[in-house]
Short mmCIF file of all heavy atoms in Angstrom, two decimals:
data_model
loop_
_atom_site.label_atom_id
_atom_site.label_comp_id
_atom_site.label_asym_id
_atom_site.label_seq_id
_atom_site.Cartn_x
_atom_site.Cartn_y
_atom_site.Cartn_z
N ASP A 148 2.95 8.91 -6.54
CA ASP A 148 3.09 8.05 -5.36
C ASP A 148 1.93 8.29 -4.43
O ASP A 148 1.66 9.43 -4.02
CB ASP A 148 4.41 8.34 -4.64
CG ASP A 148 5.62 7.88 -5.45
OD1 ASP A 148 5.81 6.66 -5.55
OD2 ASP A 148 6.35 8.74 -5.98
N TYR A 149 1.22 7.20 -4.09
CA TYR A 149 0.02 7.29 -3.28
C TYR A 149 0.16 6.52 -1.97
O TYR A 149 0.73 5.42 -1.93
CB TYR A 149 -1.18 6.71 -4.03
CG TYR A 149 -1.59 7.45 -5.27
CD1 TYR A 149 -1.60 6.82 -6.51
CD2 TYR A 149 -2.00 8.78 -5.21
CE1 TYR A 149 -2.00 7.50 -7.66
CE2 TYR A 149 -2.40 9.46 -6.35
CZ TYR A 149 -2.40 8.82 -7.57
OH TYR A 149 -2.79 9.49 -8.70
N ARG A 150 -0.40 7.08 -0.90
CA ARG A 150 -0.52 6.41 0.38
C ARG A 150 -1.89 6.73 0.97
O ARG A 150 -2.30 7.89 0.98
CB ARG A 150 0.56 6.87 1.37
CG ARG A 150 2.00 6.76 0.87
CD ARG A 150 2.47 5.31 0.78
NE ARG A 150 3.88 5.22 0.45
CZ ARG A 150 4.36 5.15 -0.80
NH1 ARG A 150 3.51 5.18 -1.82
NH2 ARG A 150 5.66 5.04 -1.02
N SER A 151 -2.60 5.72 1.48
CA SER A 151 -3.85 5.96 2.20
C SER A 151 -3.71 5.36 3.60
O SER A 151 -3.14 4.28 3.77
CB SER A 151 -5.06 5.36 1.47
OG SER A 151 -4.94 3.96 1.36
N TYR A 152 -4.23 6.09 4.59
CA TYR A 152 -4.07 5.71 5.99
C TYR A 152 -5.44 5.61 6.64
O TYR A 152 -6.28 6.50 6.49
CB TYR A 152 -3.25 6.75 6.74
CG TYR A 152 -1.87 7.02 6.18
CD1 TYR A 152 -1.69 7.88 5.10
CD2 TYR A 152 -0.75 6.42 6.74
CE1 TYR A 152 -0.43 8.13 4.58
CE2 TYR A 152 0.52 6.67 6.24
CZ TYR A 152 0.68 7.53 5.15
OH TYR A 152 1.93 7.77 4.64
N ALA A 153 -5.65 4.52 7.39
CA ALA A 153 -6.86 4.43 8.19
C ALA A 153 -6.74 5.38 9.37
O ALA A 153 -5.64 5.73 9.81
CB ALA A 153 -7.06 3.00 8.69
N SER A 154 -7.87 5.83 9.88
CA SER A 154 -7.89 6.81 10.96
C SER A 154 -7.04 6.35 12.16
O SER A 154 -7.15 5.22 12.62
CB SER A 154 -9.33 7.03 11.42
OG SER A 154 -9.39 7.94 12.48
N GLY A 155 -6.16 7.24 12.63
CA GLY A 155 -5.36 6.96 13.80
C GLY A 155 -4.11 6.15 13.54
O GLY A 155 -3.36 5.84 14.46
N SER A 156 -3.87 5.78 12.29
CA SER A 156 -2.71 4.95 11.96
C SER A 156 -1.68 5.76 11.18
O SER A 156 -2.03 6.55 10.31
CB SER A 156 -3.13 3.74 11.13
OG SER A 156 -1.99 2.99 10.75
N SER A 157 -0.41 5.55 11.54
CA SER A 157 0.67 6.19 10.77
C SER A 157 1.23 5.26 9.72
O SER A 157 2.20 5.58 9.04
CB SER A 157 1.81 6.62 11.73
OG SER A 157 2.38 5.48 12.35
N VAL A 158 0.60 4.08 9.57
CA VAL A 158 1.07 3.07 8.62
C VAL A 158 0.11 3.02 7.43
O VAL A 158 -1.09 2.85 7.60
CB VAL A 158 1.14 1.68 9.29
CG1 VAL A 158 1.50 0.61 8.27
CG2 VAL A 158 2.16 1.70 10.41
N PRO A 159 0.61 3.17 6.21
CA PRO A 159 -0.26 3.13 5.04
C PRO A 159 -0.76 1.72 4.76
O PRO A 159 -0.14 0.74 5.15
CB PRO A 159 0.64 3.63 3.91
CG PRO A 159 2.02 3.25 4.33
CD PRO A 159 2.04 3.40 5.84
N GLN A 160 -1.89 1.64 4.08
CA GLN A 160 -2.41 0.33 3.68
C GLN A 160 -1.43 -0.38 2.76
O GLN A 160 -1.24 -1.59 2.85
CB GLN A 160 -3.74 0.49 2.94
CG GLN A 160 -4.91 0.90 3.79
CD GLN A 160 -6.15 0.88 2.95
OE1 GLN A 160 -6.35 1.74 2.09
NE2 GLN A 160 -6.99 -0.10 3.16
N GLY A 161 -0.84 0.36 1.87
CA GLY A 161 0.10 -0.20 0.91
C GLY A 161 0.90 0.93 0.30
O GLY A 161 0.69 2.11 0.61
N LEU A 162 1.82 0.55 -0.59
CA LEU A 162 2.65 1.54 -1.27
C LEU A 162 2.34 1.45 -2.76
O LEU A 162 2.56 0.42 -3.38
CB LEU A 162 4.13 1.25 -1.02
CG LEU A 162 4.55 0.98 0.43
CD1 LEU A 162 6.05 0.69 0.50
CD2 LEU A 162 4.18 2.15 1.33
N THR A 163 1.82 2.52 -3.33
CA THR A 163 1.42 2.52 -4.73
C THR A 163 2.19 3.58 -5.51
O THR A 163 2.24 4.75 -5.10
CB THR A 163 -0.09 2.79 -4.88
OG1 THR A 163 -0.82 1.76 -4.22
CG2 THR A 163 -0.48 2.83 -6.35
N THR A 164 2.79 3.17 -6.62
CA THR A 164 3.45 4.09 -7.53
C THR A 164 2.87 3.88 -8.92
O THR A 164 2.85 2.77 -9.44
CB THR A 164 4.97 3.84 -7.57
OG1 THR A 164 5.52 4.00 -6.26
CG2 THR A 164 5.65 4.83 -8.51
N SER A 165 2.38 4.97 -9.51
CA SER A 165 1.71 4.93 -10.81
C SER A 165 2.48 5.78 -11.80
O SER A 165 3.05 6.83 -11.44
CB SER A 165 0.28 5.45 -10.67
OG SER A 165 -0.29 5.76 -11.92
N PHE A 166 2.50 5.34 -13.06
CA PHE A 166 3.16 6.09 -14.13
C PHE A 166 2.17 6.32 -15.27
O PHE A 166 1.46 5.39 -15.68
CB PHE A 166 4.38 5.33 -14.67
CG PHE A 166 5.45 5.09 -13.65
CD1 PHE A 166 5.45 3.93 -12.89
CD2 PHE A 166 6.47 6.02 -13.45
CE1 PHE A 166 6.44 3.68 -11.94
CE2 PHE A 166 7.47 5.79 -12.51
CZ PHE A 166 7.46 4.62 -11.76
N LEU A 167 2.13 7.56 -15.77
CA LEU A 167 1.31 7.91 -16.92
C LEU A 167 2.20 8.53 -18.00
O LEU A 167 3.11 9.31 -17.68
CB LEU A 167 0.24 8.94 -16.55
CG LEU A 167 -0.83 8.60 -15.52
CD1 LEU A 167 -1.68 9.85 -15.26
CD2 LEU A 167 -1.70 7.47 -15.99
N PRO A 168 1.95 8.22 -19.28
CA PRO A 168 2.65 8.96 -20.34
C PRO A 168 2.33 10.46 -20.19
O PRO A 168 1.18 10.83 -19.96
CB PRO A 168 2.05 8.40 -21.63
CG PRO A 168 1.50 7.06 -21.25
CD PRO A 168 1.02 7.21 -19.83
N TYR A 169 3.32 11.31 -20.32
CA TYR A 169 3.14 12.72 -20.01
C TYR A 169 2.09 13.39 -20.88
O TYR A 169 1.44 14.36 -20.47
CB TYR A 169 4.47 13.46 -20.14
CG TYR A 169 4.69 14.49 -19.06
CD1 TYR A 169 5.02 14.09 -17.76
CD2 TYR A 169 4.57 15.85 -19.32
CE1 TYR A 169 5.23 15.02 -16.77
CE2 TYR A 169 4.78 16.79 -18.31
CZ TYR A 169 5.11 16.37 -17.04
OH TYR A 169 5.32 17.30 -16.04
N ASP A 170 1.90 12.88 -22.08
CA ASP A 170 0.93 13.52 -22.97
C ASP A 170 -0.50 13.35 -22.48
O ASP A 170 -1.39 14.11 -22.86
CB ASP A 170 1.07 12.97 -24.40
CG ASP A 170 0.61 11.52 -24.50
OD1 ASP A 170 1.40 10.63 -24.11
OD2 ASP A 170 -0.51 11.28 -24.96
N VAL A 171 -0.75 12.34 -21.62
CA VAL A 171 -2.11 12.11 -21.13
C VAL A 171 -2.54 13.23 -20.19
O VAL A 171 -3.54 13.91 -20.46
CB VAL A 171 -2.23 10.72 -20.47
CG1 VAL A 171 -3.59 10.58 -19.77
CG2 VAL A 171 -2.06 9.61 -21.50
N PRO A 172 -1.85 13.48 -19.07
CA PRO A 172 -2.28 14.59 -18.22
C PRO A 172 -2.11 15.95 -18.87
O PRO A 172 -2.77 16.92 -18.47
CB PRO A 172 -1.38 14.45 -16.98
CG PRO A 172 -0.19 13.70 -17.45
CD PRO A 172 -0.71 12.75 -18.49
N SER A 173 -1.25 16.05 -19.89
CA SER A 173 -1.05 17.34 -20.57
C SER A 173 -2.34 17.84 -21.20
O SER A 173 -2.50 19.04 -21.45
CB SER A 173 0.03 17.22 -21.64
OG SER A 173 1.30 16.96 -21.05
N ARG A 174 -3.29 16.94 -21.48
CA ARG A 174 -4.56 17.35 -22.08
C ARG A 174 -5.53 17.91 -21.04
O ARG A 174 -6.55 18.50 -21.39
CB ARG A 174 -5.22 16.16 -22.77
CG ARG A 174 -4.39 15.53 -23.87
CD ARG A 174 -5.18 14.41 -24.52
NE ARG A 174 -4.36 13.25 -24.78
CZ ARG A 174 -4.83 12.06 -25.13
NH1 ARG A 174 -6.14 11.89 -25.26
NH2 ARG A 174 -4.02 11.04 -25.35
N ASN A 175 -5.23 17.68 -19.76
CA ASN A 175 -6.06 18.20 -18.67
C ASN A 175 -5.14 18.57 -17.52
O ASN A 175 -4.76 17.72 -16.71
CB ASN A 175 -7.09 17.16 -18.21
CG ASN A 175 -7.95 17.67 -17.06
OD1 ASN A 175 -7.81 18.81 -16.61
ND2 ASN A 175 -8.84 16.82 -16.56
#
Side-chain angles (χ1 to χ4, degrees):
D148 291 288
Y149 294 121
R150 306 289 186 269
S151 62
Y152 302 82
S154 178
S156 176
S157 63
V158 174
Q160 289 185 288
L162 312 179
T163 299
T164 301
S165 164
F166 298 91
L167 298 175
Y169 220 74
D170 69 281
V171 171
S173 294
R174 301 183 222 168
N175 179 1

